[in-house]
Amino acid sequence: MKAKVGIDERGLRHDGRRPDEMRPVSMKVGVLANASGSALVEFGKTKVLAAVYGPREPQQRFMVLPEKAILRVRYHMAPFSTTERKSPAPSRREVELSKVIREALEDVVITSEYPRTVIDVFVEVLQADGGTRAAGITAASLALADAGLPMKALVASVAVGKIAGALVLDVDEAEDSVGEADMPVAAAPDLGLITLFQLNGVLTEEEVQRGLSMALRAIEQLVAMEKTVLKQSYEVVEE
Amino acid sequence: MSVTPFRLPVIPALKRQSYLSLYKRGVRDDGRSIRSPRQVEIKVGVLDKAEGSALVKLGNTQVLAGVKVEVTSPFKDSPNQGVLVVHAENVPLASPIFEPGPPDENAIELARVIDRSLREVKAVDLGSLVIRPGEKVWNVWVDIYVLDHDGNLFDASMLAAMAALMNADLPDYEELETGEISLRRGVGGRKIKVDHMVVTVTTAKVGSYIIVDPNFEEEVISDYRLVLAFDEKLRIVGAQKTGSGGMKLEELQEAIKVSKEAAQIYFKVLEQARGGS
Amino acid sequence: MMKAYGQIALPGDRLEQRVEAERPFVMEVGGEKVATVVGIISQREGKAYFVPLKSIYVPKVWDVVIGLVESVSAASWMVDINSPYQALLYAQDFLGRSFNPSTDDLYQILKPGEYVKAKVVAFDKTRSPLLSVQGEGLGRFIKGAVIDVPPARIPRIIGKKRSMTSLLEEKTGCSVFPAVNGRVHVDCPSPELEAIAIMAIRLIERESHTAGLTERVAKFIEEERRRRGI
């Protein structure tokens, strides 16, 4: 029988995690041949693919800025990514998430180097088990770096949730469905900047602060992991 | 697909400078402090056909919210709950930057942030919107209509949505032999049960300043905005950073502090609107 | 901490002030030098250089590039130069004389799919890069092969004072032209030698930042030739 979703008497979650523990994280870069850069990121069963195309001149020539590249982001869920088939038509949720993901990346990509171009970031959720935007932002950051686009810093993201009165890191779908709050955070630790901040639910100011430090600690580790993975994508002989 | 805004109006550099030099003295171009919202005015019951309505003026920003109700079947996973839907339209007459067409990402974000902030704290008692459990429930539509955009659509829309909900009546109805529900629109039944009041407070980071309730120009020159939703106990019931700039932790802490103060001003106006309706 | 050439730096990493680098690979962020792409810090003669491992080619005036003709318009060709910006080559420039639209059929002169070696003669933030084939050795490639490599690898394929390219040419008998935009043209005495030259370039591409590369490339070509009996 499945463990009850919450926190048990040992202080552990339904899948045996401590409150401040992430699911197993996996990151791979350069997973697609056609894209300028790509990455596959998994947070537990959540599996998200990101690809970057460009900078390139857009088909619609009016869609440019004279001083910098435009970032275009699409967050999209594959129809088979959810328990019930998800219609491939973009939902309102996907429209909003595309926007906040774009905004989570805009401040770190040095777009001023490529005026009059567009940089496309495609985020495809292949399997959704909670934390898809967080895994998506992490994958997008890796894909941008893999594309060789200059970035002031790398970005990663994780959500903090509140279940059974306790703050927990990296909520999965089961926890999210019974959760009292969900607070996705993205940050660029090298810049000390929070680039995405949302709260869906009810928290006290103290919980917001505590949840944030929980998220920021995890994000630091995720960015360190991004760096390791990027490094490993090159056979650099350090001598 | 979300695209970097590429058709924003140009704010003269001198205007930006003059905003910043005003902030340095703690004030704004209209004389208010950097921590104060603009003059707020709420009129409720401004429409007869809608079950509830409110017109909010926040400075020059005007938002009209209308509540319409319908009878519907409940969702399978919540047979004993009514349905609340928030929708927002950036009507083209409200601003030269709005285009006709389906809601864009800004309108969708606006509606979803308001929807979440109401939903999570259970501002509306969905359990009270049941006509026949598992079969017939009320579907409450809150349609937010932005009429004049001079910045801070979030706060104005939330005030309008709240005021319209508090003003809304569920019409009398009759259960027909077929099981169908026949409404007597316009014949006052009972009020929608609103258990919590929610406001959002939007702050913007401009230069090195955190300002409350940005006008449109201030929004354009800001790095980002932070929308914080509060209930009457000043618990945080929703949040959204919007805009491309990154936010420092200290800025968030300062924004929470100043937003709590501004929230109390909005609550006062909302109380008055409730009492006056 | 390991010193010396080969130390990796990642986007967001702070670098010592003495590290020399080009924009945009290293930029000032909050008063500090920060790597913006994956690269290595290479130490040579007491100096430290940031070498990007991946880069995007942005044209500079006087760069000699290898362009792929993509389409033909009224009085010019649109040329892909492996850059965010598509380049323009005017018919008048290519023909070296004034162009007469009623008698000159551009499509017959230079077809989509053909490669040209051209120099960038104009480019700024407001205009597409403009190419010219007026100059020695410039123009359409009529033989040989062009291979794509990451632009960041081109400096290694060229080598110090063209040493690597000279080695390739000497050992294979091919003429080798590595263009800054990430394309290499090889023109060889035989298809076998062309195959060997391309394999050698791929080897440089793969192992571009490892020590003793020149020796390995020389050995590789010699062994391939011996194995194939050429």
Side-chain angles (χ1 to χ4, degrees):
Chain A
M1 201 186 100
K2 262 196 171 169
K4 195 174 149 281
V5 178
I7 307 269
D8 69 14
E9 58 287 349
R10 294 164 301 166
L12 299 179
R13 294 151 74 177
H14 75 108
D15 56 358
R17 281 188 286 160
R18 294 185 315 275
D20 63 348
E21 193 178 341
M22 288 204 63
R23 288 172 284 180
V25 177
S26 146
M27 300 182 186
K28 286 191 194 106
V29 290
V31 293
L32 302 174
N34 266 325
S36 319
S38 59
L40 178 68
V41 168
E42 297 176 20
F43 287 4
K45 284 185 201 149
T46 288
K47 202 187 278 282
V48 183
L49 190 59
V52 170
Y53 280 85
R56 58 186 177 182
E57 289 169 308
Q59 300 286 333
Q60 295 126 306
R61 296 278 164 145
F62 65 87
M63 196 196 266
V64 292
L65 279 170
E67 78 285 6
K68 61 175 186 179
I70 275 175
L71 208 56
R72 280 199 300 198
V73 174
R74 185 176 97 137
Y75 164 96
H76 185 248
M77 295 180 92
F80 46 75
S81 64
T82 46
T83 312
E84 302 291 327
R85 178 178 184 269
K86 192 218 153 264
S87 156
S91 65
R92 289 164 66 86
R93 175 178 173 275
E94 287 169 303
V95 171
E96 185 199 344
L97 291 199
S98 298
K99 177 178 188 282
V100 294
I101 294 173
R102 174 178 60 73
E103 292 175 340
L105 301 168
E106 289 241 25
D107 212 20
V108 299
V109 182
I110 304 171
T111 49
S112 55
E113 288 299 310
Y114 311 100
R116 297 188 295 117
T117 64
V118 46
I119 299 164
D120 284 319
V121 180
F122 300 116
V123 175
E124 280 293 331
V125 177
L126 303 181
Q127 187 160 281
D129 188 33
T132 57
R133 95 194 65 183
I137 289 168
T138 308
S141 165
L142 276 170
L144 286 161
D146 183 47
L149 274 159
M151 299 164 84
K152 283 190 265 180
L154 297 172
V155 175
S157 176
V158 70
V160 168
K162 185 177 173 187
I163 46 166
L167 292 179
V168 294
L169 191 65
D170 183 28
V171 281
D172 64 17
E173 195 174 71
E175 288 177 326
D176 194 36
S177 63
V178 300
E180 295 140 44
D182 178 32
M183 184 171 79
V185 179
D190 287 326
L191 293 174
L193 288 179
I194 297 162
T195 63
L196 173 139
F197 178 69
Q198 293 180 285
L199 167 64
N200 182 14
V202 183
L203 293 178
T204 64
E205 184 177 343
E206 185 272 331
E207 286 170 329
V208 168
Q209 303 267 14
R210 201 149 43 87
L212 255 175
S213 30
M214 203 176 203
L216 293 176
R217 263 199 310 277
I219 288 169
E220 263 181 49
Q221 288 166 7
L222 287 168
V223 166
M225 190 168 169
E226 284 183 34
K227 289 187 179 183
T228 306
V229 169
L230 283 168
K231 187 171 161 177
Q232 283 164 353
S233 70
Y234 296 94
E235 289 174 48
V236 172
V237 177
E238 302 206 1
E239 14 179 270
Chain B
M1 198 122 88
S2 175
V3 182
T4 307
F6 56 94
R7 274 179 174 169
L8 277 180
V10 173
I11 306 298
L14 285 175
K15 194 77 190 265
R16 185 190 149 89
Q17 275 174 28
S18 80
Y19 273 122
L20 289 175
S21 61
L22 284 167
Y23 300 162
K24 205 172 170 187
R25 305 200 328 255
V27 293
R28 312 281 274 278
D29 61 340
D30 57 1
R32 68 189 157 127
S33 114
I34 57 170
R35 299 290 153 83
S36 306
R38 288 165 287 185
Q39 186 75 36
V40 198
E41 205 180 292
I42 305 179
K43 276 191 200 139
V44 293
V46 292
L47 303 169
D48 289 335
K49 292 265 170 151
E51 275 77 37
S53 61
L55 176 68
V56 168
K57 287 186 187 169
L58 179 60
N60 285 331
T61 289
Q62 290 193 63
V63 175
L64 178 64
V67 170
K68 290 296 297 174
V69 299
E70 287 170 358
V71 178
T72 186
S73 318
F75 290 117
K76 282 198 191 96
D77 55 358
S78 50
N80 296 318
Q81 286 191 351
V83 179
L84 176 72
V85 184
V86 180
H87 187 89
E89 291 271 345
N90 286 334
V91 190
L93 62 78
S95 166
I97 68 163
F98 292 161
E99 299 269 347
D104 67 359
E105 62 180 27
N106 296 305
I108 289 174
E109 182 185 38
L110 174 65
R112 286 178 56 87
V113 169
I114 286 172
D115 184 303
R116 291 199 287 262
S117 306
L118 292 173
R119 193 173 300 279
E120 291 302 324
V121 73
K122 302 184 174 67
V124 173
D125 178 7
L126 299 180
S128 71
L129 298 176
V130 179
I131 297 170
R132 255 198 334 262
E135 287 176 39
K136 299 283 177 200
V137 297
W138 292 107
N139 186 348
V140 177
W141 294 89
V142 180
D143 278 290
I144 292 164
Y145 236 53
V146 176
L147 298 182
D148 208 351
H149 178 13
D150 187 27
N152 201 1
L153 299 180
F154 283 95
D155 297 4
S157 300
M158 181 55 106
L159 288 168
M162 260 334 284
L165 279 168
M166 293 188 307
N167 170 249
D169 293 313
L170 296 170
D172 283 348
Y173 59 86
E174 200 181 335
E175 297 197 47
L176 305 179
E177 280 172 25
T178 56
E180 289 306 299
I181 303 293
S182 166
L183 296 184
R184 292 196 207 114
R185 296 247 188 215
V187 181
R190 57 189 175 96
K191 288 252 178 280
I192 288 179
K193 195 163 166 263
V194 177
D195 288 346
H196 294 283
M197 286 211 279
V198 177
V199 297
T200 65
V201 178
T202 300
T203 50
K205 165 101 187 298
V206 183
S208 56
Y209 302 91
I210 305 279
I211 58 165
V212 170
D213 178 28
N215 67 27
F216 179 67
E217 287 187 335
E218 290 173 321
E219 284 188 355
V220 176
I221 61 171
S222 70
D223 296 336
Y224 65 83
R225 280 172 284 150
L226 181 67
V227 185
L228 291 170
F230 297 95
D231 67 359
E232 64 280 342
K233 287 180 224 142
L234 293 182
R235 289 183 302 174
I236 301 170
V237 300
Q240 181 103 332
K241 192 208 90 170
T242 180
S244 302
M247 168 172 74
K248 293 211 168 71
L249 190 55
E250 311 87 79
E251 292 165 6
L252 171 64
Q253 287 159 344
E254 189 188 338
I256 293 177
K257 204 176 102 220
V258 304
S259 297
K260 275 190 173 176
E261 286 167 28
Q264 305 189 40
I265 299 173
Y266 288 151
F267 278 126
K268 227 171 260 167
V269 185
L270 212 46
E271 281 289 1
Q272 283 162 5
R274 180 178 227 172
S277 68
Chain C
M1 195 70 187
M2 255 176 291
K3 226 178 148 183
Y5 139 78
Q7 191 191 321
I8 199 155
L10 295 138
D13 283 354
R14 281 162 180 74
L15 305 177
E16 290 176 56
Q17 283 296 335
R18 67 189 192 94
V19 175
E20 294 179 29
E22 277 179 57
R23 243 183 100 88
F25 309 124
V26 172
M27 286 176 96
E28 292 274 331
V29 178
E32 291 190 89
K33 269 192 182 176
V34 168
T36 67
V37 296
V38 185
I40 55 172
I41 315 285
S42 168
Q43 315 257 4
R44 271 187 222 118
E45 290 143 19
K47 283 189 171 177
Y49 304 89
F50 182 88
V51 184
L53 291 177
K54 215 160 189 183
S55 65
I56 294 162
Y57 174 67
V58 175
K60 286 199 288 288
V61 172
W62 306 130
D63 279 353
V64 176
V65 297
I66 296 175
L68 175 66
V69 177
E70 282 195 324
S71 61
V72 183
S73 62
S76 60
W77 291 273
M78 301 304 293
V79 182
D80 168 62
I81 55 168
N82 189 33
S83 143
Y85 306 95
Q86 200 178 37
L88 209 62
L89 174 61
Y90 282 118
Q92 188 168 328
D93 180 275
F94 187 82
L95 296 168
R97 57 169 168 80
S98 63
F99 156 70
N100 181 347
S102 59
T103 54
D104 295 318
D105 181 357
L106 293 195
Y107 189 83
Q108 292 306 321
I109 297 166
L110 200 54
K111 286 192 171 63
E114 290 198 90
Y115 280 112
V116 288
K117 182 174 174 181
K119 63 173 184 265
V120 179
V121 289
F123 175 62
D124 59 42
K125 292 196 167 185
T126 62
R127 282 178 301 177
S128 297
L130 191 64
L131 301 179
S132 168
V133 294
Q134 295 304 313
E136 209 191 314
L138 303 182
R140 180 209 335 236
F141 285 116
I142 42 175
K143 57 193 175 74
V146 171
I147 59 168
D148 291 311
V149 297
R153 299 292 187 281
I154 293 293
R156 290 300 275 168
I157 296 170
I158 296 171
K160 235 185 198 170
K161 291 179 186 143
R162 209 173 172 273
S163 58
M164 190 65 90
T165 300
S166 300
L167 175 89
L168 285 169
E169 290 186 327
E170 200 182 293
K171 296 280 176 190
T172 60
C174 309
S175 96
V176 177
F177 173 68
V180 280
N181 62 326
R183 286 187 180 136
V184 186
H185 177 251
V186 291
D187 186 9
C188 300
S190 71
E192 286 83 9
L193 288 165
E194 184 181 288
I196 294 171
I198 291 171
M199 285 168 77
I201 291 166
R202 294 289 178 219
L203 174 75
I204 302 168
E205 181 189 332
R206 233 176 13 251
E207 302 184 6
S208 63
H209 296 284
T210 57
L213 181 62
T214 318
E215 294 73 30
R216 275 208 306 290
V217 172
K219 215 174 133 206
F220 171 81
I221 298 172
E222 282 160 15
E223 273 177 16
E224 274 301 310
R225 290 190 74 151
R226 197 177 313 126
R227 199 172 64 78
R228 299 179 188 217
I230 43 173

PDB file of all heavy atoms in Angstrom, chain A residues 167 203-213, chain B residues 236 256 260:
ATOM      1  N   LEU A 167       6.709  22.753   5.554  1.00  0.00           N
ATOM      2  CA  LEU A 167       7.295  23.162   4.281  1.00  0.00           C
ATOM      3  C   LEU A 167       8.131  22.016   3.729  1.00  0.00           C
ATOM      4  O   LEU A 167       8.920  21.404   4.451  1.00  0.00           O
ATOM      5  CB  LEU A 167       8.174  24.395   4.479  1.00  0.00           C
ATOM      6  CG  LEU A 167       7.447  25.682   4.839  1.00  0.00           C
ATOM      7  CD1 LEU A 167       8.450  26.814   5.029  1.00  0.00           C
ATOM      8  CD2 LEU A 167       6.426  26.057   3.771  1.00  0.00           C
ATOM      9  N   LEU A 203       0.498  31.305   2.929  1.00  0.00           N
ATOM     10  CA  LEU A 203       1.670  31.176   3.788  1.00  0.00           C
ATOM     11  C   LEU A 203       1.801  32.426   4.640  1.00  0.00           C
ATOM     12  O   LEU A 203       1.380  33.512   4.237  1.00  0.00           O
ATOM     13  CB  LEU A 203       2.954  31.017   2.952  1.00  0.00           C
ATOM     14  CG  LEU A 203       3.171  29.748   2.124  1.00  0.00           C
ATOM     15  CD1 LEU A 203       4.485  29.849   1.365  1.00  0.00           C
ATOM     16  CD2 LEU A 203       3.155  28.500   2.983  1.00  0.00           C
ATOM     17  N   THR A 204       2.409  32.259   5.807  1.00  0.00           N
ATOM     18  CA  THR A 204       2.736  33.451   6.586  1.00  0.00           C
ATOM     19  C   THR A 204       4.040  34.029   6.037  1.00  0.00           C
ATOM     20  O   THR A 204       4.754  33.375   5.286  1.00  0.00           O
ATOM     21  CB  THR A 204       2.949  33.104   8.070  1.00  0.00           C
ATOM     22  OG1 THR A 204       4.102  32.252   8.153  1.00  0.00           O
ATOM     23  CG2 THR A 204       1.749  32.402   8.675  1.00  0.00           C
ATOM     24  N   GLU A 205       4.321  35.254   6.460  1.00  0.00           N
ATOM     25  CA  GLU A 205       5.550  35.897   5.995  1.00  0.00           C
ATOM     26  C   GLU A 205       6.762  35.050   6.396  1.00  0.00           C
ATOM     27  O   GLU A 205       7.703  34.870   5.619  1.00  0.00           O
ATOM     28  CB  GLU A 205       5.648  37.300   6.605  1.00  0.00           C
ATOM     29  CG  GLU A 205       6.833  38.068   6.096  1.00  0.00           C
ATOM     30  CD  GLU A 205       6.896  39.480   6.635  1.00  0.00           C
ATOM     31  OE1 GLU A 205       5.868  39.983   7.142  1.00  0.00           O
ATOM     32  OE2 GLU A 205       7.983  40.077   6.553  1.00  0.00           O
ATOM     33  N   GLU A 206       6.705  34.513   7.617  1.00  0.00           N
ATOM     34  CA  GLU A 206       7.821  33.705   8.105  1.00  0.00           C
ATOM     35  C   GLU A 206       7.993  32.450   7.250  1.00  0.00           C
ATOM     36  O   GLU A 206       9.119  32.050   6.914  1.00  0.00           O
ATOM     37  CB  GLU A 206       7.551  33.355   9.581  1.00  0.00           C
ATOM     38  CG  GLU A 206       8.662  32.625  10.298  1.00  0.00           C
ATOM     39  CD  GLU A 206       8.577  31.118  10.139  1.00  0.00           C
ATOM     40  OE1 GLU A 206       7.457  30.592   9.971  1.00  0.00           O
ATOM     41  OE2 GLU A 206       9.644  30.478  10.177  1.00  0.00           O
ATOM     42  N   GLU A 207       6.862  31.856   6.842  1.00  0.00           N
ATOM     43  CA  GLU A 207       6.950  30.655   5.994  1.00  0.00           C
ATOM     44  C   GLU A 207       7.510  30.991   4.616  1.00  0.00           C
ATOM     45  O   GLU A 207       8.258  30.204   4.033  1.00  0.00           O
ATOM     46  CB  GLU A 207       5.568  30.003   5.865  1.00  0.00           C
ATOM     47  CG  GLU A 207       5.136  29.271   7.118  1.00  0.00           C
ATOM     48  CD  GLU A 207       3.679  28.840   7.080  1.00  0.00           C
ATOM     49  OE1 GLU A 207       2.849  29.537   6.442  1.00  0.00           O
ATOM     50  OE2 GLU A 207       3.352  27.814   7.694  1.00  0.00           O
ATOM     51  N   VAL A 208       7.117  32.162   4.096  1.00  0.00           N
ATOM     52  CA  VAL A 208       7.655  32.583   2.798  1.00  0.00           C
ATOM     53  C   VAL A 208       9.179  32.679   2.893  1.00  0.00           C
ATOM     54  O   VAL A 208       9.915  32.177   2.031  1.00  0.00           O
ATOM     55  CB  VAL A 208       7.044  33.935   2.357  1.00  0.00           C
ATOM     56  CG1 VAL A 208       7.801  34.517   1.170  1.00  0.00           C
ATOM     57  CG2 VAL A 208       5.574  33.758   1.997  1.00  0.00           C
ATOM     58  N   GLN A 209       9.657  33.310   3.951  1.00  0.00           N
ATOM     59  CA  GLN A 209      11.101  33.500   4.136  1.00  0.00           C
ATOM     60  C   GLN A 209      11.805  32.152   4.272  1.00  0.00           C
ATOM     61  O   GLN A 209      12.820  31.894   3.643  1.00  0.00           O
ATOM     62  CB  GLN A 209      11.383  34.297   5.417  1.00  0.00           C
ATOM     63  CG  GLN A 209      10.702  35.645   5.460  1.00  0.00           C
ATOM     64  CD  GLN A 209      11.596  36.755   4.940  1.00  0.00           C
ATOM     65  OE1 GLN A 209      12.615  36.482   4.310  1.00  0.00           O
ATOM     66  NE2 GLN A 209      11.217  37.999   5.177  1.00  0.00           N
ATOM     67  N   ARG A 210      11.241  31.282   5.081  1.00  0.00           N
ATOM     68  CA  ARG A 210      11.857  29.991   5.334  1.00  0.00           C
ATOM     69  C   ARG A 210      11.829  29.136   4.065  1.00  0.00           C
ATOM     70  O   ARG A 210      12.811  28.489   3.714  1.00  0.00           O
ATOM     71  CB  ARG A 210      11.124  29.291   6.486  1.00  0.00           C
ATOM     72  CG  ARG A 210      11.901  28.198   7.186  1.00  0.00           C
ATOM     73  CD  ARG A 210      11.516  28.082   8.657  1.00  0.00           C
ATOM     74  NE  ARG A 210      10.082  28.157   8.884  1.00  0.00           N
ATOM     75  CZ  ARG A 210       9.245  27.104   8.836  1.00  0.00           C
ATOM     76  NH1 ARG A 210       9.720  25.905   8.562  1.00  0.00           N
ATOM     77  NH2 ARG A 210       7.963  27.259   9.074  1.00  0.00           N
ATOM     78  N   GLY A 211      10.692  29.189   3.377  1.00  0.00           N
ATOM     79  CA  GLY A 211      10.571  28.438   2.131  1.00  0.00           C
ATOM     80  C   GLY A 211      11.563  28.916   1.094  1.00  0.00           C
ATOM     81  O   GLY A 211      12.171  28.124   0.371  1.00  0.00           O
ATOM     82  N   LEU A 212      11.727  30.245   1.046  1.00  0.00           N
ATOM     83  CA  LEU A 212      12.676  30.807   0.089  1.00  0.00           C
ATOM     84  C   LEU A 212      14.094  30.345   0.372  1.00  0.00           C
ATOM     85  O   LEU A 212      14.819  29.963  -0.554  1.00  0.00           O
ATOM     86  CB  LEU A 212      12.646  32.336   0.190  1.00  0.00           C
ATOM     87  CG  LEU A 212      11.943  33.064  -0.924  1.00  0.00           C
ATOM     88  CD1 LEU A 212      11.894  34.545  -0.618  1.00  0.00           C
ATOM     89  CD2 LEU A 212      12.632  32.840  -2.261  1.00  0.00           C
ATOM     90  N   SER A 213      14.493  30.363   1.635  1.00  0.00           N
ATOM     91  CA  SER A 213      15.878  29.953   1.888  1.00  0.00           C
ATOM     92  C   SER A 213      16.058  28.466   1.578  1.00  0.00           C
ATOM     93  O   SER A 213      17.095  28.057   1.071  1.00  0.00           O
ATOM     94  CB  SER A 213      16.366  30.300   3.298  1.00  0.00           C
ATOM     95  OG  SER A 213      15.340  30.298   4.198  1.00  0.00           O
TER      96      SER A 213
ATOM     97  N   ILE B 236      -0.091  35.886   3.513  1.00  0.00           N
ATOM     98  CA  ILE B 236       0.196  35.975   2.081  1.00  0.00           C
ATOM     99  C   ILE B 236      -0.543  34.837   1.392  1.00  0.00           C
ATOM    100  O   ILE B 236      -0.321  33.664   1.694  1.00  0.00           O
ATOM    101  CB  ILE B 236       1.711  35.905   1.831  1.00  0.00           C
ATOM    102  CG1 ILE B 236       2.404  37.062   2.565  1.00  0.00           C
ATOM    103  CG2 ILE B 236       2.015  35.982   0.325  1.00  0.00           C
ATOM    104  CD1 ILE B 236       3.913  36.980   2.592  1.00  0.00           C
ATOM    105  N   ILE B 256       7.481  42.958   0.894  1.00  0.00           N
ATOM    106  CA  ILE B 256       6.458  42.360   1.767  1.00  0.00           C
ATOM    107  C   ILE B 256       6.048  43.376   2.827  1.00  0.00           C
ATOM    108  O   ILE B 256       4.866  43.594   3.097  1.00  0.00           O
ATOM    109  CB  ILE B 256       6.974  41.052   2.416  1.00  0.00           C
ATOM    110  CG1 ILE B 256       7.166  39.962   1.352  1.00  0.00           C
ATOM    111  CG2 ILE B 256       6.001  40.563   3.501  1.00  0.00           C
ATOM    112  CD1 ILE B 256       7.732  38.648   1.876  1.00  0.00           C
ATOM    113  N   LYS B 260       2.267  45.121   2.947  1.00  0.00           N
ATOM    114  CA  LYS B 260       1.328  44.885   4.059  1.00  0.00           C
ATOM    115  C   LYS B 260       0.656  46.186   4.481  1.00  0.00           C
ATOM    116  O   LYS B 260      -0.535  46.214   4.796  1.00  0.00           O
ATOM    117  CB  LYS B 260       2.077  44.297   5.259  1.00  0.00           C
ATOM    118  CG  LYS B 260       2.215  42.797   5.187  1.00  0.00           C
ATOM    119  CD  LYS B 260       2.746  42.272   6.498  1.00  0.00           C
ATOM    120  CE  LYS B 260       2.728  40.755   6.501  1.00  0.00           C
ATOM    121  NZ  LYS B 260       3.317  40.202   7.717  1.00  0.00           N
TER     122      LYS B 260
END
